[in-house]
Amino acid sequence: MIHEEFQWMTRLFERVYGTPPATTRYVLGTLPLLDGLDVLLPWGAAVAAARSDDGTTSLFSMNHHDHGVVTPSTAGDWARDCMTAVTTSSAPGTNLVVNRELPAETGLLTGAETIDATTRALQDLQDGTTGPATAEPARATFDLSGTGLRLLLIDVGTRGQDTVRPGTAKRTAALPKA
């Protein structure tokens, strides 16, 4: 899946900017469960980047494609995580394409994965290297994949309420393993 993501990002970057990206980085997100315990998610953020010909910085988001290409001064709140990495970097003009694999409305991606993927891509541009096509966690995490455990995320529709329907956990535990 990661390699397909990179191919898609490369094609989209070429379509938006007319040239292939110099680097593409992918960072997995994490879900904070308990104080100090983050669980690695199977979703994250991918960022493709290249130096711009005119020295300006611009961003295109797959998640907000209806906004088109934006600059730091015209970007909305949705671009905050990417622009945070751009403003803390000393990289000159850069063209970026970003894809967060989960909609912001899920509340599962914290933004750290987007900042991390953008920072790594910008660092690649500064170093003249290419980012690896691997999934890297945004920070130290507990990886469930090697333990036989599974993470089940459920929205029980109780936003704004303090209770969960009786029996929800018991019914969930009884579900067959995939």
Side-chain angles (χ1 to χ4, degrees), residues 27 43 54 76 91 93 110-111 129 149 154 170 176:
V27 174
W43 311 282
D54 61 5
T110 64
T129 59
L149 298 173
I154 299 173
K170 186 181 252 185

Side-chain angles (χ1 to χ4, degrees), residues 2-3 5-11 13 20-27 45-50 97 117 120-121 124-125 129-134 136:
I2 295 167
H3 296 290
E5 182 73 21
F6 280 121
Q7 291 172 357
W8 174 246
M9 293 289 290
T10 297
R11 287 192 300 270
F13 192 96
T23 187
T24 303
R25 285 297 193 134
Y26 180 81
V27 174
V47 175
V97 171
R120 290 174 192 231
D124 287 347
L125 294 179
T129 59
T130 303
T134 59
E136 304 171 55

Side-chain angles (χ1 to χ4, degrees), residues 63-121:
N63 308 94
H64 299 276
H65 56 85
D66 54 326
H67 293 269
V69 176
V70 298
T71 64
S73 63
T74 63
D77 284 344
W78 58 266
R80 181 181 54 248
D81 298 326
C82 245
M83 291 305 170
T84 296
V86 167
T87 57
T88 59
S89 167
S90 59
T94 307
N95 294 327
L96 299 161
V97 171
V98 64
N99 178 36
R100 291 178 56 147
E101 291 183 302
L102 293 175
E105 293 78 18
T106 64
L108 292 175
L109 294 180
T110 64
E113 67 290 323
T114 307
I115 293 170
D116 197 0
T118 305
T119 300
R120 290 174 192 231

Side-chain angles (χ1 to χ4, degrees), residues 36-60:
L37 175 63
D38 292 340
V39 175
L40 194 62
L41 292 172
W43 311 282
V47 175
R51 297 251 185 248
S52 66
D53 292 334
D54 61 5
T56 62
T57 296
S58 64
L59 168 68
F60 181 84

Side-chain angles (χ1 to χ4, degrees), residues 28 38-42 135 141-151:
L28 291 172
D38 292 340
V39 175
L40 194 62
L41 292 172
T141 60
F142 179 67
D143 187 359
L144 294 176
S145 63
T147 66
L149 298 173
R150 297 175 194 258
L151 177 64

